[in-house]
């Protein structure tokens, strides 16, 4: 993979026949950490969805991890998503499954060969956020903030090259947000992970 993780050139994102983002040009390289600020309904979520190959009403050039997304084949979409970790604004969890199953599915979907057993990885990650007691709980019984933390862990457990988080701070207290940012910065420095997250407020600036 080249050193450039994301490239947008004259990108337009369209919703209900209206251009939401117009002529966006943006380049992000490996190991960079980036925050996109914007008001509500400014197109931040649609940009995240487009990067994850989950929204196709776009014009212009959009390349992620050397995959061209306009258009992208089903096979390439599957391969791309193995390189991405994504926490959408409204969650990424199967509510009727336990926390363990949700994290296990993320590990299995990545097709990575690892030395550490999956359950050991899950327990270690949950411990890092003082959430081990949630291991066998059904996601639907968790609070929204707990769901968001588990969703974040699901997005990073397979060690993606590019992590995208839409609206990092919503429904989380400042201490938890800071813990997540610290974890993201560790991944960036240790694993050369690229970071992109959106925020309606400048309070979530990466360090």
């Amino acid at each position: 993979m080249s050193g450039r993780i994301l490239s947008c050139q004259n990108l337009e994102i369209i919703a209900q026949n209206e251009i939401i983002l117009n002529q966006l040009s943006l380049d992000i390289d490996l190991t960079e950490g980036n925050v996109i600020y914007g008001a509500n309904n400014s197109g931040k979520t649609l940009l995240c969805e487009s990067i994850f190959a989950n929204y196709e009403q776009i014009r212009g050039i959009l390349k992620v991890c050397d995959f061209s997304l306009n258009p992208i084949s089903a096979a390439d979409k599957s391969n791309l998503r193995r390189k991405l970790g994504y926490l959408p604004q409204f969650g990424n969890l199967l509510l009727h499954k336990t926390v363990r199953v949700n994290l296990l599915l993320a590990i299995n979907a990545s097709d990575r060969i690892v030395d550490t057993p999956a359950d050991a990885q899950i327990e270690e990650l949950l411990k890092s956020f003082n959430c081990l007691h949630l291991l066998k709980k059904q996601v639907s019984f968790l609070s929204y903030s707990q769901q968001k933390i588990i969703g974040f862990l699901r997005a990073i457990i397979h060690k993606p090259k590019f992590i995208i988080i839409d609206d990092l701070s919503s429904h989380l207290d400042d201490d938890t947000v800071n813990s997540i940012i610290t974890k993201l910065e560790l991944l960036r420095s240790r694993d050369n992970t690229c970071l992109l997250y959106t925020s309606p407020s400048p309070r979530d600036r990466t360090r």
Side-chain angles (χ1 to χ4, degrees):
M1 187 170 66
S2 70
R4 182 144 292 165
I5 204 92
L6 172 70
S7 181
C8 306
Q9 297 179 28
N10 300 319
L11 181 67
E12 295 181 345
I13 299 180
I14 303 158
Q16 297 179 344
N17 297 319
E18 290 188 20
I19 296 175
I20 305 300
L21 279 180
N22 189 23
Q23 299 294 309
L24 175 67
S25 293
L26 174 68
D27 291 321
I28 297 177
D29 293 333
L30 278 169
T31 77
E32 286 189 358
N34 297 267
V35 188
I36 294 179
Y37 299 109
N40 291 336
N41 301 315
S42 61
K44 302 187 303 295
T45 293
L46 288 181
L47 176 60
C48 291
E49 290 286 304
S50 299
I51 292 170
F52 193 64
N54 211 26
Y55 189 81
E56 299 179 353
Q57 294 187 50
I58 62 174
R59 291 196 294 249
I61 295 173
L62 176 58
K63 293 184 68 176
V64 182
C65 300
D66 293 331
F67 289 90
S68 176
L69 272 67
N70 190 21
I72 185 170
S73 68
D76 280 351
K77 183 184 294 188
S78 179
N79 289 328
L80 169 64
R81 286 178 174 173
R82 292 189 181 100
K83 300 177 183 291
L84 304 180
Y86 180 37
L87 176 57
Q89 185 174 351
F90 300 107
N92 58 349
L93 302 172
L94 299 174
L95 297 180
H96 63 289
K97 299 293 186 181
T98 64
V99 167
R100 175 186 175 275
V101 169
N102 270 275
L103 297 179
L104 189 60
L105 288 171
I107 293 173
N108 292 340
S110 69
D111 289 337
R112 291 176 64 95
I113 298 175
V114 294
D115 296 328
T116 307
D119 279 311
Q121 293 180 61
I122 291 169
E123 290 183 12
E124 180 181 359
L125 201 54
L126 288 171
K127 284 179 182 176
S128 70
F129 277 82
N130 297 315
C131 290
L132 186 57
H133 62 289
L134 302 178
L135 177 67
K136 297 181 180 179
K137 288 189 178 294
Q138 186 171 310
V139 169
S140 61
F141 295 139
L142 304 183
S143 68
Y144 190 85
S145 60
Q146 288 174 328
Q147 289 185 26
K148 187 143 189 178
I149 293 168
I150 300 304
F152 167 69
L153 300 182
R154 188 183 193 280
I156 69 171
I157 197 167
H158 61 294
K159 298 182 178 179
K161 295 306 296 180
F162 187 17
I163 297 171
I164 308 127
I165 302 178
D166 187 18
D167 199 357
L168 171 62
S169 61
S170 68
H171 299 278
L172 294 177
D173 59 71
D174 287 344
D175 287 343
T176 302
V177 171
N178 289 333
S179 294
I180 288 175
I181 291 174
T182 299
K183 186 70 172 180
L184 289 171
E185 288 297 318
L186 174 63
L187 294 173
R188 184 161 72 98
S189 61
R190 186 189 65 193
D191 299 333
N192 294 326
T193 305
C194 183
L195 314 175
L196 175 67
Y197 65 84
T198 71
S199 174
S201 162
R203 75 173 185 140
D204 304 321
R205 196 178 303 275
T206 48
R207 290 174 288 184

